Structures are given as C-alpha cells and as structure tokens.
Amino acid sequence: LELIMTDWVAKLLDLPEEFTHASGKGGGVIQFHSAMDDPVMNGYEHVLSIMVACYQIKVSRCQFKLSQYQLSLSRSNKRLGMHEHANLLLRGSRRVALDTGSKHMLPVVAHKKADQHPQAKTCSASDCMLVCMLAARHHAIQRHKHVFQEKGDPNPENAVLSRLVAYGSNLAHSCVEKASVICVVKFHQIDVDENYSVRGEALQVAMEEDIKNGLIPFFVCATLGTTACCSFDDLKTIGPVCDNFNVWLHVDGAYAGNALICPEFRHYLQGIEHVWSMNINPNKWMLVGFDCSLMW
C-alpha cells in the first residue's frame, strides 16, 4: 500500500517517472506518527538522539583543548588547518560511548523538550532532510576519498568530511542547518533575490568561491514554499548548477509542496528533473490528521 500511495502522490505532483517505484529506479516512503505510537520516540530516534548527545558532549569537552592547541600553534606562527581540526574533533569517536556517562544521555530520551538537552522531532520534514543529507554525505565521501588516498592521506574519509559544505537559502527551514550540524559538515547560506528566491547564479558563485578555498560542495536544499513567506527557489536555474558540480539536490516542499498537485501551480516544478530527492508533508495541506511526511 505504501508503494501504491507514494506512486499515486508522485503522479498527482507530476514528478518525473524516476521518482516512482514502478520505474524500477526510485520510489518513495511514508513516515508518520499516530496516537498508537510511542508518545516520545521510536527506537531509531532513541539511537540517533543518544548519538547526537554523545557528539555534542564530546565536542564540548574538546573545545577547551582545541582552543589551547590553537593558541600554542599561533604562538609558533602556525595555523590549524581544516583537516587537523576535523581530526581533533573526531578523534576517539570509537570510544565516545565509554567517555560519556549514561546520566548525560538518558535525559535526551526522557525530556526531549528540555532546553538543556538536544531535541528530536518525529516523522517530519526534519527527518527527511537528515536522511537525505546523510545519504549525500556518504555519496560524496565515496566519490572523493580516492583523491586523498592517492596523496597518501592516512584518513581519506576524514579529509573529505572536513571539507564538505551544504547549501541552502537564508530563508530555508532551520532543519537544513541542524542536519548539517549532525552530519558534521559546513553550511553555506545563500542570499535570496528580490523575490526571496535563490537563483542558480548566486549558488554558482558561492560554490566556486568555496572550491577555491579547498571545500567540496555536496548538497543543496531548494525550498518550494519557505516557512517565512512561501517563496520558491528557482529550480530551473539551480538544477543545472548542481549537475555541473555533481551535487545532490534536495527539494523541501514540506509547507507548500502539496499545492503543486494543482496544475496552476505546477510551473514551480520546472527543473524537477535535476532533483535527487524531495519531501512534502501531507498533514499540512492534504487533510492528513497526524504527522506525516512523504519522501522520494
């Protein structure tokens, strides 16, 4: 039934055939939360929240040592490069569970709304964003690590990770930046034009600048219907830029994506053929009475 429903909605939105299960190339999934579910989180989210908590605690413990290390290097007229910075933060990650007491992790599950602990959201566009960015990160690491292997780098995956950068509008939902924090990648906000839209020209300038600085563009989030003012990023100019740089293009249509079922709004989908993934929230405009996200 899930396959049938996601294919049906994809056809209503007039998405490319590759987005459907029937094509044999893609397909969608449904994430939802009902009153019958765990009122807090499911097992997957428990593990994710605990891992994020471990990461944050580990980073906070390293901050003082990192600042002292940077100070000592500056005194000797040296600079801490991106690769060394990432290695310092990620060093010992295999032992992070041993370094972090359970008393720091349990409140994440029991009090997810507490200000002093990381928060988690269930079955929302935020979940879709994180999953897609993680997939894009894995794809980028596998594609670029050979460059550092050939240079004899002992940690080629860390070398790539320390250089990855994601992009999104300065009007994009906060889940984009939050996903970049969890993925341990940089986030570059792109300024919008007079119509509050990101255009390909601005994105290309940002990517070229980052590449000159030794960074690796790997993920772009285009928003179709921003939360602040329901503006639409220009897919038809963003898409070719992402193709040229071989960057994963995700569409966040959580707020207004449902409206694209209407033919009169279909022009906002021009350029959808360049998109790698997309999500909408039927619980907003499709009369679904519980938290629900569709992701292709």
Side-chain angles (χ1 to χ4, degrees):
L1 182 59
E2 180 180 31
L3 306 185
I4 295 173
M5 289 300 297
T6 52
D7 280 4
W8 175 66
V9 176
K11 291 178 181 178
L12 286 178
L13 293 170
D14 199 26
L15 298 180
E17 182 67 20
E18 290 78 9
F19 278 70
T20 65
H21 290 90
S23 69
K25 298 180 180 179
V29 295
I30 300 176
Q31 295 178 305
F32 66 92
H33 181 77
S34 69
M36 299 298 293
D37 293 329
D38 184 341
V40 181
M41 292 181 288
N42 58 35
Y44 162 77
E45 289 159 334
H46 287 167
V47 174
L48 176 59
S49 297
I50 290 172
M51 189 172 293
V52 172
C54 290
Y55 163 72
Q56 291 186 345
I57 293 170
K58 188 68 176 180
V59 169
S60 65
R61 289 179 176 179
C62 288
Q63 283 178 342
F64 176 76
K65 293 181 180 179
L66 178 60
S67 63
Q68 294 299 310
Y69 182 49
Q70 288 175 315
L71 180 61
S72 64
L73 287 180
S74 63
R75 287 174 177 172
S76 59
N77 296 320
K78 295 182 180 179
R79 295 181 60 189
L80 181 65
M82 292 182 296
H83 187 17
E84 288 76 12
H85 181 105
N87 278 335
L88 184 60
L89 291 181
L90 296 175
R91 190 176 300 148
S93 59
R94 295 178 62 183
R95 297 186 295 110
V96 68
L98 299 178
D99 295 337
T100 307
S102 60
K103 64 180 180 180
H104 296 294
M105 297 186 290
L106 290 179
V108 179
V109 178
H111 308 289
K112 66 173 183 175
K113 294 184 179 180
D115 292 337
Q116 65 270 31
H117 300 297
Q119 298 184 15
K121 292 186 178 180
T122 305
C123 302
S124 66
S126 299
D127 297 332
C128 299
M129 187 66 61
L130 176 58
V131 169
C132 291
M133 190 176 291
L134 285 170
R137 187 185 74 167
H138 175 76
H139 178 267
I141 290 175
Q142 296 305 310
R143 190 164 65 89
H144 292 284
K145 68 179 182 180
H146 73 91
V147 175
F148 299 94
Q149 287 174 333
E150 293 171 357
K151 294 179 180 179
D153 194 301
N155 297 299
E157 293 186 351
N158 281 355
V160 177
L161 180 61
S162 66
R163 291 165 170 80
L164 292 181
V165 55
Y167 301 82
S169 162
N170 55 11
L171 294 178
H173 192 272
S174 60
C175 67
V176 185
E177 186 171 5
K178 289 177 182 177
S180 70
V181 172
I182 296 175
C183 290
V184 202
V185 297
K186 298 169 180 61
F187 179 62
H188 191 151
Q189 285 190 334
I190 307 298
D191 291 333
V192 296
D193 63 11
E194 66 277 5
N195 295 316
Y196 306 103
S197 171
V198 169
R199 297 187 58 82
E201 296 83 353
L203 178 63
Q204 180 165 341
V205 170
M207 286 187 176
E208 290 176 347
E209 179 183 354
D210 286 339
I211 290 174
K212 289 180 181 178
N213 291 328
L215 301 179
I216 302 174
F218 84 104
F219 181 88
V220 172
C221 174
T223 305
L224 297 185
T226 60
T227 306
C229 60
C230 200
S231 58
F232 289 76
D233 292 337
D234 189 18
L235 277 184
K236 63 180 181 293
T237 60
I238 292 175
V241 174
C242 292
D243 286 347
N244 290 339
F245 290 95
N246 198 9
V247 169
W248 185 299
L249 175 57
H250 176 76
V251 167
D252 178 15
Y255 172 49
N258 305 278
L260 302 177
I261 290 175
C262 303
E264 59 267 33
F265 299 128
R266 201 68 57 73
H267 61 278
Y268 289 116
L269 281 175
Q270 293 179 14
I272 192 67
E273 65 274 9
H274 301 284
V275 171
W276 291 48
S277 55
M278 177 178 179
N279 68 274
I280 65 172
N281 282 18
N283 59 296
K284 293 177 179 175
W285 282 12
M286 290 182 70
L287 304 180
V288 174
F290 49 84
D291 291 346
C292 179
S293 292
L294 299 184
M295 181 179 70
W296 293 271

